[in-house]
Amino acid sequence: MGKLKVTETKLQDVKIIEPAVFGDKRGFFTETYSDQDFKAAGIDFNFIQDNQSLSAEAGVLRGLHFQRGKYSQTKLIRVVTGAVLDVIVDVRKGSPTYGEHEGYIISESNHRQLLVPRGFAHGFVTLTDNVNFLYKCDNYYNAESDGGITFMDKDLNINWPIDFEQAITSDKDAKQQTFAEFEKNNPFVYGEI
């Protein structure tokens, strides 16, 4: 294996990235990001902001979030401690995978990273306690451009591994719009983001 193993997913433009991990009795070493290695693998984004969240308990559900318009973001996601089921939904009108979603286990032990392009709604549920979730963005956060879709959407029918009554979530996420409501004013167009 080279420095990076890049796997295409069923969702258009989404990739799983696995950096080489070198381990011995002391632990391991890995390069989590190298601009030149990512560019050599065909992943060429100008990441300008790093974000981190801590979820103290298993069952924390965050999402499904996105940024609209000129503030939309490509994200490069990884988990430093713990494990999550990371779920993304293609919301780009005209995309071959529009309205489809997929979930990926991202954890401290599998070292996977997930490339989430602009025009995807994103969320995750923690599968363990003490999840440190990190992601790079190619655009700055803008509160007025913040948006979301409810994780409980019946049309999307995401198979979250948690009872919604047990989920630990924010008031904002508990009150997000449905996918059908979002579609009425969907600003994302495939090929124009």
Side-chain angles (χ1 to χ4, degrees):
M1 176 164 94
K3 287 194 170 187
L4 296 174
K5 177 183 174 189
V6 179
T7 306
E8 301 290 331
T9 69
K10 79 168 191 166
L11 295 177
Q12 187 75 30
D13 305 319
V14 175
K15 298 173 180 17
I16 295 172
I17 300 150
E18 297 174 82
V21 178
F22 306 96
D24 61 25
K25 64 183 179 182
R26 300 168 298 165
F28 72 88
F29 172 83
T30 185
E31 262 182 25
T32 60
Y33 183 78
S34 165
D35 189 60
Q36 68 182 2
D37 293 340
F38 272 67
K39 284 180 179 172
I43 302 167
D44 189 3
F45 295 94
N46 182 29
F47 292 113
I48 59 172
Q49 180 174 310
D50 284 355
N51 298 324
Q52 179 175 353
S53 70
L54 170 67
S55 298
E57 299 178 57
V60 171
L61 205 159
R62 299 178 189 251
L64 301 161
H65 303 145
F66 54 79
Q67 290 272 285
R68 292 182 192 87
K70 67 180 184 177
Y71 293 101
S72 63
Q73 297 174 322
T74 297
K75 298 175 182 175
L76 180 62
I77 293 164
R78 66 190 183 99
V79 170
V80 177
T81 59
V84 302
L85 173 66
D86 197 278
V87 175
I88 57 175
V89 181
D90 189 346
V91 297
R92 303 168 300 170
K93 292 182 287 191
S95 166
T97 55
Y98 177 72
E100 294 181 28
H101 69 274
E102 195 165 29
Y104 313 89
I105 302 293
I106 310 291
S107 72
E108 67 179 295
S109 59
N110 68 20
H111 304 283
R112 287 183 178 159
Q113 297 182 43
L114 182 64
L115 181 70
V116 181
R118 294 176 181 212
F120 280 78
H122 169 257
F124 65 88
V125 63
T126 58
L127 304 175
T128 64
D129 293 344
N130 192 35
V131 171
N132 271 285
F133 187 93
L134 282 75
Y135 57 103
K136 294 183 168 303
C137 298
D138 71 343
N139 208 348
Y140 297 110
Y141 174 78
N142 179 271
E144 291 78 35
S145 300
D146 191 40
I149 299 168
T150 180
F151 56 82
M152 299 180 281
D153 188 88
K154 290 180 177 29
D155 292 331
L156 294 176
N157 195 28
I158 297 169
N159 186 20
W160 296 102
I162 189 169
D163 179 341
F164 292 145
E165 300 298 319
Q166 305 289 319
I168 304 163
T169 190
S170 70
D171 290 340
K172 178 181 105 172
D173 286 348
K175 297 174 184 172
Q176 292 284 12
Q177 65 188 328
T178 65
F179 187 66
E181 291 167 333
F182 163 76
E183 284 187 296
K184 294 174 188 174
N185 295 302
N186 182 350
F188 298 102
V189 178
Y190 182 65
E192 294 182 12
I193 302 173

